[in-house]
Amino acid sequence: PSGPVLLVAPTHSRGLSAVEVLDAQWLRDLQAQFPVLNVLLKLHPHTQDYCPDQVLPYRQAAALSERVVYIEDSGVNVHDLLPHTDILLTDVSSVALNYLHYDRPIIWVNNPGRFESDQFEPDGLVWAWRDMGREIEAQQELTDAVGEALRAPEKHGERRRHYRQWRFGDFNDGRAAERIARNVMTLIEPGEEDADKVRIMCNAVRAFAHSEREIGSL
């Protein structure tokens, strides 16, 4: 149905995942507060495979509402969904770093068990760049966070654009595939102006490969 789309894309790691913080009640609360909001649930494949008890409430919620869609196919690429959404809800998933391309609101769920997790990396980008979105510590904060994202999507926009420039530079125009294809063809059939650069690069690759073999034989 028409209306804004909230994409829910958490990771699966215990102690970090938003799934451990949010139960199915938050979906009902959101629908009551924002009746035109659509919720797209794209859980991590490992969550579906290893934590079926956590998945069941989401499947049930989707069965009860046409505005809640649970993506059963674990092979669906979450990045294909990004351009069709208005808000991203995640935890420590790197999908947020690529969502910067679209300059849209991000809501971070902080799992209180993160400090006990051996995968907690406070210096990682998904923690160091948390000011590009709204952080919540508990389920009760989610409705307010979504409301803020709908009313004021420009909030945190300055930080999002700062990090987007840092991450993508001037290469966020959607033409990466063309550049890759062009560079591959340059390697295969270098023109006169590129011959020296390609020769230097090929020699460097051979040198690295030789070094790896030498190290591997130690």
Side-chain angles (χ1 to χ4, degrees), residues 64-85:
L64 296 174
S65 174
E66 65 172 355
R67 289 190 178 273
V68 178
V69 177
Y70 180 87
I71 298 180
E72 291 281 354
D73 184 0
S74 61
V76 169
N77 189 336
V78 67
H79 295 95
D80 293 335
L81 307 174
L82 301 186
H84 309 291
T85 65

Side-chain angles (χ1 to χ4, degrees), residues 17-184:
S17 177
V19 174
E20 298 176 345
V21 180
L22 307 175
D23 60 35
Q25 180 61 42
W26 70 268
L27 281 169
R28 293 188 286 271
D29 293 343
L30 280 186
Q31 289 183 292
Q33 187 73 21
F34 312 106
V36 299
L37 179 68
N38 301 293
V39 180
L40 191 57
L41 302 168
K42 177 62 177 79
L43 302 189
H44 193 282
H46 288 347
T47 304
Q48 300 183 155
D49 295 339
Y50 304 135
C51 307
D53 56 319
Q54 295 179 339
V55 169
L56 183 59
Y58 290 95
R59 285 191 173 124
Q60 293 173 335
L64 296 174
S65 174
E66 65 172 355
R67 289 190 178 273
V68 178
V69 177
Y70 180 87
I71 298 180
E72 291 281 354
D73 184 0
S74 61
V76 169
N77 189 336
V78 67
H79 295 95
D80 293 335
L81 307 174
L82 301 186
H84 309 291
T85 65
D86 301 282
I87 308 169
L88 173 67
L89 172 67
T90 189
D91 36 43
V92 296
S93 175
S94 60
V95 69
L97 303 179
N98 290 331
Y99 198 59
L100 283 169
H101 174 78
Y102 302 99
D103 192 20
R104 297 171 189 169
I106 298 170
I107 299 174
W108 301 103
V109 178
N110 294 337
N111 190 319
R114 61 189 180 276
F115 301 110
E116 282 73 47
S117 171
D118 58 4
Q119 298 184 53
F120 177 54
E121 299 177 350
D123 296 328
L125 294 185
V126 291
W127 291 107
W129 289 5
R130 237 146 164 88
D131 58 344
M132 70 185 186
R134 165 80 179 267
E135 295 182 78
I136 65 171
E137 303 285 342
Q139 179 167 299
Q140 293 75 12
E141 303 172 52
L142 181 57
T143 300
D144 183 65
V146 172
E148 179 182 83
L150 292 172
R151 291 190 310 272
E154 183 57 24
K155 189 170 184 179
H156 307 291
E158 182 178 348
R159 298 307 295 166
R160 290 197 303 265
R161 289 185 287 275
H162 169 76
Y163 293 133
R164 182 178 67 182
Q165 177 63 28
W166 192 93
R167 182 166 173 78
F168 297 111
D170 297 325
F171 299 107
N172 62 343
D173 56 1
R175 307 183 77 88
E178 295 178 23
R179 284 189 289 273
I180 291 171
R182 186 168 59 248
N183 289 332
V184 169

Side-chain angles (χ1 to χ4, degrees), residues 181-202:
R182 186 168 59 248
N183 289 332
V184 169
M185 290 307 301
T186 297
L187 294 176
I188 296 173
E189 299 178 355
E192 189 173 324
E193 69 281 5
D194 297 313
D196 287 340
K197 290 188 294 184
V198 171
R199 189 179 304 111
I200 291 171
M201 191 200 68
C202 289

